[in-house]
Amino acid sequence: MGKLLSRWREFKFILALPEVHPFWLFIPFLAVIAALGAFFLDSITAFFITGLGVLVGMLIFFYSSRTARANYEMKAELLQMQNIIMSLSDAIIVYDKDFRVLFWNPAAESIFRLEAKTVMGHKVTPQDGQNDAWRLLVQVIFPSLAPVMVSQTESGTYPQITDLAFEEPLLHLRVITAPVAGETTRTLRFIKIIRDRTREVLIMKSKNDFITVASHQLRGPVTNIGWALETLKSDKNLDESSRSVVESATSANQEMLSIIEDLLKVSKIEEGRFGYNFEPVDILRFVEKIVGEFLPQARQLGVKVYLDRPSEPLPQVFADGEKLRMVLENLMDNAMRYNVQGGEITVKIKQSEEKPFMEISVKDTGIGISPLDLEKIFSKFYRADNAMKYKTEGSGLGLYIAKNIIRSHGGQMWAESELDRGSVFYLTLPTDKKLVPAKEVPLEY
Ligand code: ADP
């Protein structure tokens, strides 16, 4: 009964909508036709004409009420969407290709401290940035004007994700930009979704600060323990079993020290103060030297090491030798540790197909990485199950550090692998100085 009543109310509501007006206008017209027919025509013709009129009336009613319902539903959906956008905590701005602001939600008012009535319809130009009140908006619309800008996506691809940071007042914004297609290319518009990440970044920073302070504090005592163990080891009166205890304590201590060093590196990288010093590097000689240093260890482990040299001379790369050494040492170390007895390692250098880049790969015939783990091995602290079973020691920080070092060189790093067959780690480095990022930037948290 209740359902029937609500249907009836809905029907009445639709009948009152403007789209149904043609039907109401048609009814008196039909009545006049019926009356004229009854007076001036014979009954069969009058009946036929009136019937036809009723049919047309029914058609008008059917189409107009259907249009009315569809329009009403569309308006309701639009209103709902508008309410959602208006109550979002992310700022939403829409502007046209001339940077004229077409949409501005309340969150945009609170982030930019500019009211909708001031901004709507205004054509934003870089010169507006000279006005303090407009500066933030200008730097968001033209991100290259912001003090710190980190692009999270490749240029020219949409949606564009950019992180912007401002001092005084401290503000961290993530800006997502996408084109909104209009009916023609002339009506092309852009939407920007802006999230205030200041609190999030500050929490991550204080967590990072804690790790940095704790690591700093730990480094001193752990180094002292190392010295004490070395002194003990040099004691000639030490019996065999005590010596073996001291040796295993020394290696555990070294492992702990290397984890502490890695944690310190991670916090410097994340804060953008690892400190890079780029210079031209003869990459072939550089790699030859590092590979050579691993040969005694490889011999001990029964692993063969090959260096696949390029057939043509290679251009120089622009790199920070000390940091690049960390990357290659980590890849070589992993290729040794996760290899099998009698396994092989092949290091290859070549001009990348994607010019102007150089590609270095380190291939091993070891335990490999499952497809699921392959997606995660460059994340902080991640260690795959098979690796943890095979080699208990390891921090899961090496590849995270390596990938970030390569990123700061303007290159890329990735891996391919087959479980129980082996892995290949690739990295690229630019041979054109222009592709090396000019400034070290804090990492996305
Ligand atoms: P760690 O080696 O200290 O665990 P890394 O960051 O260097 O840390 O490596 C992260 C994880 O990636 C390793 O724990 C392992 O699961 C996987 N991995 C790295 N290199 C190899 C490799 N050559 N073969 C198989 N697994 C690897």
Side-chain angles (χ1 to χ4, degrees), residues 91-367:
I92 297 186
I93 309 175
V94 178
Y95 55 89
D96 64 15
K97 61 180 185 23
D98 297 323
F99 303 102
R100 193 183 305 279
V101 179
L102 304 171
F103 185 83
W104 187 258
N105 72 343
E109 291 195 337
S110 74
I111 290 181
F112 294 99
R113 295 177 197 283
L114 283 169
E115 282 184 34
K117 63 174 188 280
T118 320
V119 185
M120 291 284 281
H122 181 82
K123 206 166 140 184
V124 183
T125 63
Q127 285 72 37
D128 287 331
Q130 284 159 12
N131 179 340
D132 284 352
W134 286 78
R135 187 167 307 127
L136 184 60
L137 175 62
V138 170
Q139 289 170 329
V140 166
I141 293 209
F142 308 104
S144 56
L145 300 178
V148 178
M149 173 199 140
V150 184
S151 193
Q152 303 292 353
T153 43
E154 277 178 37
S155 73
T157 57
Y158 284 106
Q160 274 266 286
I161 304 174
T162 317
D163 287 338
L164 304 178
F166 307 87
E167 282 169 10
E168 290 174 32
L170 185 71
L171 196 61
H172 289 268
L173 299 180
R174 168 153 299 175
V175 183
I176 303 171
T177 311
V180 188
E183 290 106 62
T184 64
T185 44
R186 286 184 59 234
T187 58
L188 186 70
R189 291 162 180 191
F190 292 90
I191 182 165
K192 271 193 195 293
I193 302 169
I194 302 127
R195 172 169 302 168
D196 183 353
R197 299 166 69 239
T198 314
R199 213 177 108 76
E200 210 176 303
V201 171
L202 285 181
I203 292 172
M204 285 308 296
K205 198 176 162 339
S206 74
K207 202 173 102 188
N208 220 17
D209 287 348
F210 171 75
I211 294 177
T212 312
V213 172
S215 315
H216 262 299
Q217 298 291 334
L218 281 172
R219 190 160 56 173
V222 171
T223 312
N224 290 344
I225 294 172
W227 283 115
L229 289 170
E230 286 303 325
T231 318
L232 258 181
K233 255 200 312 193
S234 58
D235 183 354
K236 299 222 169 37
N237 299 326
L238 213 62
D239 63 66
E240 254 334 281
S241 71
S242 308
R243 185 170 296 281
S244 117
V245 171
V246 172
E247 257 154 26
S248 57
T250 309
S251 84
N253 190 261
Q254 272 163 356
E255 172 74 9
M256 192 142 69
L257 199 60
S258 106
I259 294 174
I260 291 171
E261 296 291 350
D262 278 355
L263 283 172
L264 286 170
K265 279 180 207 153
V266 165
S267 66
K268 280 187 193 159
I269 287 175
E270 291 185 345
E271 284 173 19
R273 50 178 192 87
F274 204 27
Y276 288 88
N277 181 20
F278 295 104
E279 42 192 24
V281 171
D282 178 343
I283 195 72
L284 184 58
R285 290 184 66 185
F286 185 82
V287 173
E288 269 173 352
K289 189 163 186 295
I290 293 174
V291 170
E293 287 164 12
F294 274 87
L295 290 180
Q297 191 188 338
R299 227 167 281 135
Q300 226 174 23
L301 292 170
V303 173
K304 290 194 192 75
V305 180
Y306 301 100
L307 180 62
D308 191 341
R309 291 181 177 78
S311 46
E312 285 164 21
L314 292 172
Q316 284 182 321
V317 297
F318 291 89
D320 178 325
E322 192 196 325
K323 308 285 190 296
L324 193 59
R325 172 173 270 276
M326 288 177 198
V327 176
L328 288 168
E329 281 182 353
N330 179 254
L331 292 185
M332 285 301 290
D333 192 47
N334 283 348
M336 298 268 178
R337 286 166 61 227
Y338 302 119
N339 219 320
V340 289
Q341 181 75 32
E344 289 177 5
I345 298 174
T346 310
V347 181
K348 189 171 176 180
I349 317 172
K350 62 168 193 161
Q351 180 93 47
S352 169
E353 274 131 46
E354 263 182 67
K355 280 178 187 163
F357 286 92
M358 183 91 69
E359 185 184 287
I360 302 176
S361 59
V362 179
K363 180 175 176 202
D364 66 59
T365 53
I367 59 169

Side-chain angles (χ1 to χ4, degrees), residues 330 334-335 337-338 364 367-369 377 382-384 387 394-399 423 425:
N330 179 254
N334 283 348
R337 286 166 61 227
Y338 302 119
D364 66 59
I367 59 169
I369 305 160
I377 52 164
Y382 193 82
R383 299 198 71 210
S395 64
L397 289 173
L399 288 179
S423 317
F425 283 82

